[in-house]
Amino acid sequence: MKRFLAFPLLLLLAISLFLPLHSTAGADVTDTVREVILRLKEEQPAEKLLAITPPEVASLLTEHERTELGSGYITCRVNVPVTVSVLLEARLEHDAFWLEERGFTLTDKKASVDNGARQVWQKDFPEGIVGLGVNSLSGDGNHYCAVIAPQRQGAPLTVTEVYPPTHALAVATKGTPSIINREDKVLTELPEELEGQVLLLGDNARRKEAHIAGFFRVTDYPATEQPDQIVLTMTEDPTTSQTIQWRTSADVARGFVLYQGKGPYERFERTKPIRVKAKTAAIEDLGLLTNAVMHRHRAVLKDLRPDTAYVYSVGDGSRKNWSEMAEFTTAPEDSAAFSFIYMGDIQNGFDRWTSVLRRALLACPDAAFCLTAGDQVNRGAYRDDWDALFHYADGAFARLPLVPVVGNHELYGDFPGLYLEQLHLPHNGPQGVTPERVYSFEYGQALFVMLDSNLPVEAQSDWLEKTLAASDATWKFVAYHHPAYSSKASRDNPDVREVWGAIFDKYDVDVVFQGHDHGYLRTYPMKAGQRAKDPGDGTVYLVTVAGTKLYDVAERDYAAASMEKTPTFQIVDIQVRNDRLVYRAYNVDGDKLDEFIIEK
């Protein structure tokens, strides 16, 4: 028994086959966008590209580009003449340049998705191929959907060869989702004549596929030949291994780590340090007008001794361009006391977040690692955001391993590409999920399970249960981004609470670390969706924020403590004596705002 001490403060029509119309349609659009971006970078001055608007982008497209982006983005085949109605967010009218150009007419018909008004653009197509254009030249907005109806009432319409096939077909009725995998984006208003017709669903994973306006940027912290952005991350076994990654300019073709056990001084001793060659990969951000390509270097040090301090330096193998000496300590093999830092969303205001991080390091200079609950940056596909994050971290992660989870802001087209390219994380997650999005590790007598709440919870649930069941750790912790117990009813995530919450209950998870709501909330110990009758028989769910993007926090009956408009950092102490956990939350001035203790 643990003791808890709290200190409050389709129907598918004859819709068939889903075969590609031609094998390169999707690739052609992606390649065309890349060609447009590269051409504009060559032809246009930087100051124009930094402020370019969707209509200006459209005006600079070549005839081939206009055709590909205006009719080759989605294609399908119809067996009779049809009228196609495109339901578009009004704010995207100037992004969807192709509608008016290709003969679509803006009607006065009324439609809405999730009670948000949609424009209805219509055009007649003959039997054969229907081609539609890109969703947005700015990358904004939810994806449009389209209703396909026979021009002759009652004609037996068949829609086939939808490409790309992610744009599934359904029946257009009120209450039907307009976007795949988005049950919240349903048709709430529809013209009567479109009811019961073929609905071509949008795909939000593609909504930024033609993002050109607003895509061009500069980084204030370009890569050079000197190593920087040195980051430690966890391996599957942090007792005997350590991952180190860093970046340089593309001029540096290789990387090495020199390391050895730490002696009396933080420097290499007389024994020759061990040299490990890193894996080097190029990372490109097309939107950067300078320094678009950098090299990321990664090395995994193996066969280390548990609970041992090591010193290391990274470089290119020459006599110059080596980093300053830094150190790390491997995890203890047996039960041992340790502490770690936990932060919610960083995301914005890095120049102010750096004070939160520094204060956390002062409060816990021997922290084993820093756990962050997603949304490390605001625009996860933009390297300049990551450059700013690492710059203002000021080298902290070269000594303090970063233990992150994927937030929604790491996604671009529903995939956290740059997050995965820059951070090397354990590959022990569930089958069928992209490696490193979900992982686990043990540190001392604690199990840490890192989930991705952007993905369907069911895709991770079996693995989650097996991981928890297989561990005999004294402490069990889980982290992910979207809260099971949110700070507002409008931000509820019932699937996380109901599916994962039941697993947490079954395996006595002690604490769940979350983010996303940009406020502070600590629940009472919860079990089966209710406050636990015995305080020692439940799971504490935390929501915190470390950056400057702050939301209101509503009163919640499950909240033991809450506050708003307050960036915080949290220290978790795992004490071996009496199997005790001490949690404290602090503001940027180091004032303690909340505290609780769990004793096993």
Side-chain angles (χ1 to χ4, degrees):
M1 176 70 70
K2 61 186 177 185
R3 187 160 58 95
F4 183 90
L5 294 79
F7 300 84
L9 174 29
L10 21 246
L11 171 64
L12 297 179
L13 303 169
I15 303 166
S16 63
L17 298 183
F18 286 19
L19 298 174
L21 178 63
H22 53 87
S23 61
T24 59
D28 285 350
V29 169
T30 302
D31 291 344
T32 299
V33 171
R34 181 181 176 87
E35 291 167 4
V36 171
I37 290 170
L38 291 174
R39 180 175 61 77
L40 293 181
K41 287 172 73 170
E42 289 184 0
E43 297 176 356
Q44 303 299 322
E47 56 270 21
K48 178 173 182 176
L49 293 180
L50 291 171
I52 199 165
T53 64
E56 289 171 335
V57 170
S59 71
L60 294 172
L61 297 177
T62 66
E63 191 59 37
H64 166 74
E65 293 163 352
R66 301 183 84 81
T67 299
E68 187 62 37
L69 301 185
S71 61
Y73 176 69
I74 306 174
T75 57
C76 64
R77 182 181 295 276
V78 296
N79 66 323
V80 297
V82 296
T83 299
V84 175
S85 303
V86 173
L87 279 56
L88 181 78
E89 291 186 9
R91 61 181 172 141
L92 299 183
E93 179 178 348
H94 299 297
D95 281 61
F97 69 93
W98 50 275
L99 285 167
E100 196 165 3
E101 285 187 5
R102 300 204 54 237
F104 281 83
T105 300
L106 178 60
T107 72
D108 58 1
K109 300 180 187 296
K110 296 185 181 300
S112 64
V113 172
D114 194 27
N115 293 316
R118 293 290 186 269
Q119 294 180 341
V120 180
W121 292 77
Q122 289 187 328
K123 179 185 176 180
D124 290 339
F125 284 84
E127 171 188 349
I129 302 303
V130 172
L132 303 178
V134 297
N135 183 67
S136 166
L137 291 176
S138 66
D140 293 335
N142 288 294
H143 207 290
Y144 65 77
C145 64
V147 179
I148 305 173
Q151 292 178 24
R152 180 170 63 83
Q153 188 174 0
L157 170 62
T158 301
V159 181
T160 60
E161 301 181 18
V162 178
Y163 192 79
T166 54
H167 292 278
L169 300 172
V171 178
T173 57
K174 294 175 185 176
T176 300
S178 64
I179 298 171
I180 64 166
N181 299 324
R182 287 297 299 269
E183 298 298 323
D184 57 326
K185 299 297 180 184
V186 301
L187 294 169
T188 48
E189 186 177 12
L190 195 65
E192 183 177 351
E193 66 270 26
L194 300 185
E195 285 275 355
Q197 303 298 336
V198 178
L199 176 66
L200 174 67
L201 277 68
D203 179 5
N204 262 3
R206 299 191 70 208
R207 61 181 174 171
K208 295 180 181 292
E209 204 163 285
H211 184 189
I212 301 173
F215 184 67
F216 298 102
R217 292 158 281 108
V218 295
T219 177
D220 293 330
Y221 311 103
T224 68
E225 293 185 359
Q226 184 66 26
D228 68 353
Q229 295 187 6
I230 304 169
V231 179
L232 304 174
T233 51
M234 286 293 174
T235 65
E236 288 87 344
D237 183 5
T239 63
T240 61
S241 56
Q242 177 65 66
T243 299
I244 304 172
Q245 52 246 295
W246 68 97
R247 74 157 186 177
T248 63
S249 66
D251 298 324
V252 179
R254 60 183 188 169
F256 295 89
V257 178
L258 293 177
Y259 77 96
Q260 69 176 40
K262 182 182 178 183
Y265 308 99
E266 189 183 313
R267 59 183 175 82
F268 290 134
E269 299 299 315
R270 292 185 178 182
T271 57
K272 187 175 182 181
I274 300 171
R275 179 182 174 112
V276 175
K277 192 175 191 306
K279 293 183 178 180
T280 297
I283 297 179
E284 182 181 26
D285 183 341
L286 273 179
L288 289 178
L289 297 176
T290 58
N291 203 227
V293 180
M294 70 170 182
H295 277 172
R296 195 79 175 175
H297 312 271
R298 167 176 56 84
V300 181
L301 312 186
K302 299 179 180 180
D303 300 321
L304 306 177
R305 297 187 300 274
D307 200 16
T308 301
Y310 290 86
V311 291
Y312 74 95
S313 180
V314 302
D316 61 5
S318 68
R319 291 181 175 273
K320 59 178 183 176
N321 295 333
W322 287 89
S323 68
E324 293 183 3
M325 195 76 67
E327 71 172 85
F328 64 86
T329 301
T330 52
E333 190 172 31
D334 300 318
S335 178
F338 71 95
S339 302
F340 64 93
I341 297 167
Y342 151 56
M343 293 185 182
D345 301 36
I346 302 167
Q347 190 173 343
N348 299 89
F350 300 129
D351 56 339
R352 294 174 65 186
W353 163 74
T354 188
S355 299
V356 177
L357 178 60
R358 288 172 184 168
R359 180 65 70 173
L361 293 172
L362 285 173
C364 192
D366 296 323
F369 51 85
C370 180
L371 186 158
T372 55
D375 284 2
Q376 284 76 208
V377 297
N378 188 44
R379 303 172 301 173
Y382 290 0
R383 208 195 82 209
D384 45 313
D385 267 29
W386 291 96
D387 289 350
L389 170 73
F390 291 130
H391 172 80
Y392 283 105
D394 196 25
F397 298 133
R399 297 173 179 265
L400 179 73
L402 176 63
V403 178
V405 297
V406 181
N408 56 296
H409 280 266
E410 270 75 58
L411 303 184
Y412 186 87
D414 287 351
F415 189 75
L418 203 49
Y419 171 96
L420 296 175
E421 286 184 293
Q422 294 190 107
L423 300 173
H424 184 68
L425 302 167
H427 282 229
N428 57 0
Q431 292 290 323
V433 173
T434 302
E436 302 178 79
R437 294 186 71 160
V438 178
Y439 61 98
S440 68
F441 64 93
E442 290 199 1
Y443 196 100
Q445 284 299 304
L447 169 69
F448 291 84
V449 182
M450 319 300 285
L451 302 174
D452 187 345
S453 55
N454 300 283
L455 298 172
V457 295
E458 295 80 8
Q460 304 162 70
S461 296
D462 287 347
W463 174 87
L464 168 63
E465 184 160 7
K466 290 176 182 177
T467 302
L468 292 171
S471 176
D472 60 359
T474 303
W475 300 97
K476 294 181 179 179
F477 303 121
V478 178
Y480 51 80
H481 187 60
H482 299 83
Y485 294 91
S486 59
S487 62
K488 282 186 176 181
S490 60
R491 300 182 67 80
D492 191 27
N493 303 285
D495 54 341
V496 174
R497 180 174 60 255
E498 293 164 9
V499 178
W500 287 350
I503 299 174
F504 302 158
D505 292 345
K506 183 176 179 180
Y507 294 98
D508 297 321
V509 170
D510 297 287
V511 181
V512 173
F513 303 97
Q514 308 159 120
H516 191 59
D517 280 2
H518 295 268
Y520 183 93
L521 186 145
R522 169 174 61 85
T523 71
Y524 294 106
M526 304 296 291
K527 191 154 191 174
Q530 303 293 325
R531 182 175 175 179
K533 294 180 180 179
D534 183 341
D537 189 29
T539 301
V540 177
Y541 295 80
L542 300 166
V543 178
T544 71
V545 58
T548 57
K549 183 179 179 181
L550 305 170
Y551 295 163
D552 295 336
V553 175
E555 290 188 11
R556 311 294 278 166
D557 58 7
Y558 45 70
S562 64
M563 65 190 86
E564 58 187 16
K565 305 292 195 282
T566 308
T568 62
F569 66 89
Q570 290 66 226
I571 306 296
V572 181
D573 293 320
I574 303 299
Q575 302 174 0
V576 175
R577 188 175 182 179
N578 299 325
D579 285 332
R580 199 168 190 247
L581 177 152
V582 179
Y583 163 98
R584 298 182 178 94
Y586 301 87
N587 65 15
V588 68
D589 296 321
D591 301 322
K592 186 171 68 177
L593 304 178
D594 190 25
E595 179 179 21
F596 68 83
I597 295 172
I598 300 175
E599 291 180 345
K600 294 284 186 175

